[in-house]
């Protein structure tokens, strides 16, 4: 987590020069934001078809980022936060550590070494490392094309390159880390929504010990779990974007669009939920007859269009390979089946329950 945050710091510093959304953050907000900015850098390296994703490249990127952070700390004087802020930061970080410790207990005594340890996510990482980039297909293991977004898998591949993890172990433990990081993501969201110190702390506590998701999600939902803290971070920008008297320039919108797109590259469901929430909020503003709904629409359209850039290659693959059978490994399979009449209401009830669980 720390090394990812270090990799993301140069990018955050660059964006903060012209975007107010990445300034005036406390150390925990910087930590969780930088983790995903670092993951975005790794994702871009993996997607560029030049075979650059290797241990040498990862060490060069990490060394450069560490040097940048060291020089920045030497040049810029570090200012300590106020006592109340220090107490809040310490409390939230302790909650995060406790949540991480609790979630590590079930996976700390597993022994890896069987071929059955390899999940689909492990296979994606293995293929990425062998090709030193995200290839078009899963060859030589399978002829299927890779349509599943690879934002999460680039982070796992980085951990394998730098820390010499076993791939199945890296997938499992990094999923646990991001699950616990939902505490930090909730804190980021809470601090953006309210200036009251207890609001952000309470939200962090809820996602550590009360909320069922993501801590109850299990093997198979790894990329979805890893996307939840980033979803909270992206959601924290929405109120500022849709304020009645908000003026934003393109230079501020484009980084947000790229970050939204990286959320889609992590997992599509949180991205779809985020965009649906934004559009719903905009429709509410229309109903309230807000004055600047047209400027809000222009702002959101630019962000949504920009968000297509990180995920664009996978949309293209999905369209190109859609006519072929088994084109969508890792996504819901194209299976036709019939439901007996007597089981219809049971299936309907199960789907309604599934919908409400997801909505919660």
């Amino acid at each position: 987590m720390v090394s990812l945050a270090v990799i993301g710091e140069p990018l955050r510093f660059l964006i903060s020069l012209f975007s107010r959304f990445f300034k005036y953050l406390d150390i925990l907000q910087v930590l969780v934001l930088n983790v995903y900015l670092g993951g975005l850098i790794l994702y871009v390296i993996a997607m560029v078809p030049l075979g650059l994703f290797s241990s040498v490249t990862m060490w060069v990127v990490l060394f450069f980022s560490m040097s940048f952070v060291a020089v920045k700390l030497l040049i810029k004087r570090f200012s300590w936060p106020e006592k109340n802020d220090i107490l809040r930061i310490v409390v939230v970080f302790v909650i995060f550590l406790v949540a991480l410790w609790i979630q590590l207990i079930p996976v700390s005594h597993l022994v890896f070494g069987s071929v059955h340890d390899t999940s689909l996510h492990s296979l994606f990482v293995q293929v990425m490392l062998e090709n030193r980039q995200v290839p078009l297909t899963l060859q030589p293991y399978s002829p299927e094309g890779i349509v599943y977004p690879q934002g999460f898998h680039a982070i796992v591949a980085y951990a394998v390159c730098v820390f010499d993890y076993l791939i199945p172990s890296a997938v499992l433990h990094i999923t646990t880390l991001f699950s616990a990081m939902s505490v930090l993501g909730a804190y980021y969201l809470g601090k953006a929504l309210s200036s009251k110190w207890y609001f952000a702390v309470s939200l962090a506590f809820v996602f550590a010990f009360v909320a069922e998701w993501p801590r109850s999600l299990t093997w198979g939902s790894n990329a979805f779990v890893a996307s939840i803290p980033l979803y909270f971070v992206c959601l924290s920008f929405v109120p500022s974007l849709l304020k009645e008297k908000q003026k934003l320039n393109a230079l501020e919108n484009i980084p947000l669009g790229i970050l939204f797109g990286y959320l889609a590259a992590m997992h599509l469901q949180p991205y779809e939920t985020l965009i649906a929430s934004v559009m719903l909020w905009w429709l509410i503003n229309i109903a309230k007859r807000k004055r600047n709904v047209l400027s809000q629409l222009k702002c959101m359209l630019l962000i949504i269009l920009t968000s297509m850039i990180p995920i664009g290659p996978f949309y293209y693959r999905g369209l190109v390979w859609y006519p072929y059978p088994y084109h969508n490994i890792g996504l819901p399979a194209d299976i036709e089946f019939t439901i007996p009449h007597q089981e219809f209401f049971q299936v309907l009830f199960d789907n309604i329950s599934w919908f409400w669980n997801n909505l919660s």
Side-chain angles (χ1 to χ4, degrees), residues 230-251:
L230 180 56
Y231 169 73
F232 289 149
V233 172
C234 293
L235 194 62
S236 69
F237 301 134
V238 175
S240 297
L241 292 173
L242 297 181
K243 279 184 178 178
E244 187 173 2
K245 296 180 180 179
Q246 181 71 289
K247 293 183 179 180
L248 299 173
N249 55 49
L251 288 177

Side-chain angles (χ1 to χ4, degrees), residues 138-184:
L138 288 169
Q139 294 285 11
Y141 304 101
S142 176
E144 283 82 8
I146 299 178
V147 182
Y148 196 106
Q150 299 292 296
F152 167 70
H153 307 92
I155 294 176
V156 179
Y158 160 78
V160 174
C161 288
V162 175
F163 298 100
D164 199 26
Y165 272 115
L166 287 173
I167 293 178
S169 176
V171 172
L172 189 59
H173 285 83
I174 290 174
T175 302
T176 303
L177 171 64
F178 279 103
S179 179
M181 277 183 59
S182 63
V183 173
L184 302 181

Side-chain angles (χ1 to χ4, degrees), residues 78-294:
F78 182 77
S79 58
W80 288 95
E82 298 180 0
K83 291 183 178 179
N84 292 338
D85 292 334
I86 292 177
L87 180 60
R88 178 180 57 196
I89 290 170
V90 170
V91 168
V92 173
F93 193 71
V94 169
I95 293 174
F96 159 71
L97 291 178
V98 172
L100 179 61
W101 173 68
I102 291 173
Q103 295 184 55
L104 278 174
I105 292 174
V107 301
S108 58
H109 300 292
L110 297 178
V111 178
F112 296 90
S114 168
V115 67
H116 301 292
D117 296 332
T118 301
S119 68
L120 179 62
H121 299 290
S122 302
L123 181 59
F124 284 142
V125 175
Q126 181 69 36
V127 172
M128 185 187 302
L129 291 173
E130 290 185 7
N131 291 271
R132 300 200 300 179
Q133 63 188 36
V134 176
L136 294 176
T137 68
L138 288 169
Q139 294 285 11
Y141 304 101
S142 176
E144 283 82 8
I146 299 178
V147 182
Y148 196 106
Q150 299 292 296
F152 167 70
H153 307 92
I155 294 176
V156 179
Y158 160 78
V160 174
C161 288
V162 175
F163 298 100
D164 199 26
Y165 272 115
L166 287 173
I167 293 178
S169 176
V171 172
L172 189 59
H173 285 83
I174 290 174
T175 302
T176 303
L177 171 64
F178 279 103
S179 179
M181 277 183 59
S182 63
V183 173
L184 302 181
Y187 169 79
Y188 195 113
L189 175 61
K191 195 171 181 186
L193 295 180
S194 175
S195 59
K196 304 295 185 181
W197 69 268
Y198 53 81
F199 187 83
V201 176
S202 300
L203 203 59
F205 179 85
V206 165
F207 277 91
F209 305 113
V210 180
E212 182 179 357
W213 285 14
R215 61 188 175 90
S216 296
L217 295 175
T218 56
W219 185 273
S221 303
N222 307 76
F224 179 63
V225 172
S227 69
I228 290 176
L230 180 56
Y231 169 73
F232 289 149
V233 172
C234 293
L235 194 62
S236 69
F237 301 134
V238 175
S240 297
L241 292 173
L242 297 181
K243 279 184 178 178
E244 187 173 2
K245 296 180 180 179
Q246 181 71 289
K247 293 183 179 180
L248 299 173
N249 55 49
L251 288 177
E252 289 185 298
N253 292 341
I254 290 175
L256 293 182
I258 296 296
L259 198 62
F260 282 23
Y262 182 57
L263 175 63
M266 295 289 286
H267 202 278
L268 282 173
Q269 280 185 326
Y271 171 77
E272 293 167 353
T273 306
L274 177 69
I275 299 303
S277 303
V278 170
M279 298 311 297
L280 177 61
W281 196 325
W282 181 71
L283 291 174
I284 292 173
N285 285 344
I286 291 180
K288 291 182 177 180
R289 297 182 179 181
K290 299 286 186 177
R291 295 181 179 178
N292 63 333
V293 289
L294 290 180

